[in-house]
């Protein structure tokens, strides 16, 4: 596994990270034993970066990672790095109820995460979405105090725009911005990515397969469970879905010519965008992880990139990446 460094102040990590959300929430039911086995397989393959959130399954995901790390070989456990998002408020029924970025709340969230993870530090800590009632300077300042106390190693951000990046970086060193980036989600290229690079901030890219939409495995007639977020996602609805799967079919033709899978092409494309970008693959099964790992050794040349660009041009996706109610929380979309 190749390594990459997150920004000028961040840690060195594996070139691919493992996004663990789907093992606990939002994509329907998951198999706990298979999830843990997938984390073990990722660690064995050299993946060091495990991405989670304290609100994924209301703590379930952090406890799952705790179990996976406790039962992993010592060498793998010691190399593992945790990237944790916090701040999302949940109801008993599981609905989202806003965000809390107050300094006291930041420290409270961190205390609970450390306990659930069973670790003495969090490698990268970030608020999931900006709290509109709290200046970003105050939220980042609270994480900086956690860094000073040794509870957190690096400060990250999530789904913020260029102006917020600048304001945060003026308070403390920022290792990386976690944000959606894929062949069909390229909005960061206009302003956010150049600003991050100007400030020496890396990118951890989630949604590189657009939640399975551009994995090459999605079927038009797939029936989703009631607890699957994608049932509400605009890109998975009606004519939007048909249009987006037409893009996948175009990408499939390119992939077949190169004897790789659609998912491998899509992940390799994100890897090709710069050494400061670490794609997070959301595999929750070992077979899907194995497929994703194949992208790490797939180098796209100039002709490959031109063919992919022609098949899936920037802005060609149909539908927003979140429902309108959730898009409103994205500082990155303002």
């Amino acid at each position: 596994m190749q390594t990459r460094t997150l920004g000028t102040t961040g840690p060195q990590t594996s070139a691919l990270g493992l996004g663990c959300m789907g093992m606990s929430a939002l994509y329907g039911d998951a198999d706990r034993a298979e999830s843990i086995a997938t984390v073990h397989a990722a660690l064995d393959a050299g993946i060091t970066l495990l991405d989670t959130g304290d609100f994924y399954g209301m703590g379930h995901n952090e406890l799952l990672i705790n179990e996976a790390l406790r039962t992993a070989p010592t060498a793998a456990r010691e190399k593992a790095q945790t990237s944790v998002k916090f701040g999302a408020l949940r109801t008993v029924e599981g609905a989202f109820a806003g965000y809390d970025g107050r300094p006291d709340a930041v420290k409270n969230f961190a205390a609970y995460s450390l306990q659930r993870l069973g670790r003495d530090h969090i490698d990268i800590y970030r608020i999931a979405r900006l709290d509109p009632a709290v200046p970003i300077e105050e939220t980042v300042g609270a994480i900086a105090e956690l860094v000073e106390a040794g509870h957190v190693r690096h400060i990250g951000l999530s789904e913020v725009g260029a102006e917020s990046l600048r304001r945060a970086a003026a308070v403390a060193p920022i290792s990386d911005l976690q944000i959606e980036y894929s062949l069909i989600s390229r909005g960061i290229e206009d302003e956010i990515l150049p600003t991050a690079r100007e400030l020496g901030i890396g990118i951890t890219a989630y949604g590189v397969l657009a939640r399975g939409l551009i994995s090459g495995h999605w079927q038009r007639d797939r029936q989703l469970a009631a607890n699957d977020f994608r049932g509400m996602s605009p890109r998975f609805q009606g004519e939007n879905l048909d249009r987006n799967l037409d893009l996948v079919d175009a990408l499939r033709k390119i992939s077949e010519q190169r004897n790789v899978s659609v998912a491998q092409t899509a992940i390799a494309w994100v890897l090709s965008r710069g050494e400061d970008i670490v794609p997070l693959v959301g595999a929750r099964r070992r077979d899907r992880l194995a497929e994703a790992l194949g992208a790490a050794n797939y180098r796209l040349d100039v002709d490959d990139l031109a063919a992919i660009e022609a098949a899936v041009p920037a802005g060609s996706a149909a539908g927003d990446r979140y429902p309108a109610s959730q898009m409103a929380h994205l500082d990155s979309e303002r």
Side-chain angles (χ1 to χ4, degrees), residues 121-142:
H121 71 276
I122 295 167
D123 291 281
I124 311 173
Y125 202 46
R126 68 187 88 240
I127 191 165
R129 302 286 187 268
L130 292 190
D131 180 348
V134 178
I136 191 171
E137 290 86 351
E138 294 184 16
T139 302
V140 169

Side-chain angles (χ1 to χ4, degrees), residues 233-293:
S233 173
R235 288 183 173 173
F236 288 81
Q237 309 302 313
E239 293 182 359
N240 287 349
L241 177 62
D242 289 336
R243 168 59 183 154
N244 293 329
L245 289 181
D246 286 344
L247 297 175
V248 176
D249 288 339
L251 194 61
R252 192 187 313 277
K253 294 177 182 178
I254 296 170
S255 302
E256 288 175 348
Q257 292 171 358
R258 290 151 179 79
N259 199 31
V260 296
S261 73
V262 175
Q264 288 169 338
T265 298
I267 296 168
W269 181 87
V270 179
L271 280 166
S272 77
R273 308 312 284 175
E275 292 292 322
D276 53 350
I277 298 175
V278 173
L280 301 173
V281 295
R284 53 181 182 166
R285 292 176 6 207
R286 283 169 286 181
D287 59 338
R288 293 288 191 251
L289 173 67
E291 179 183 23
L293 288 169

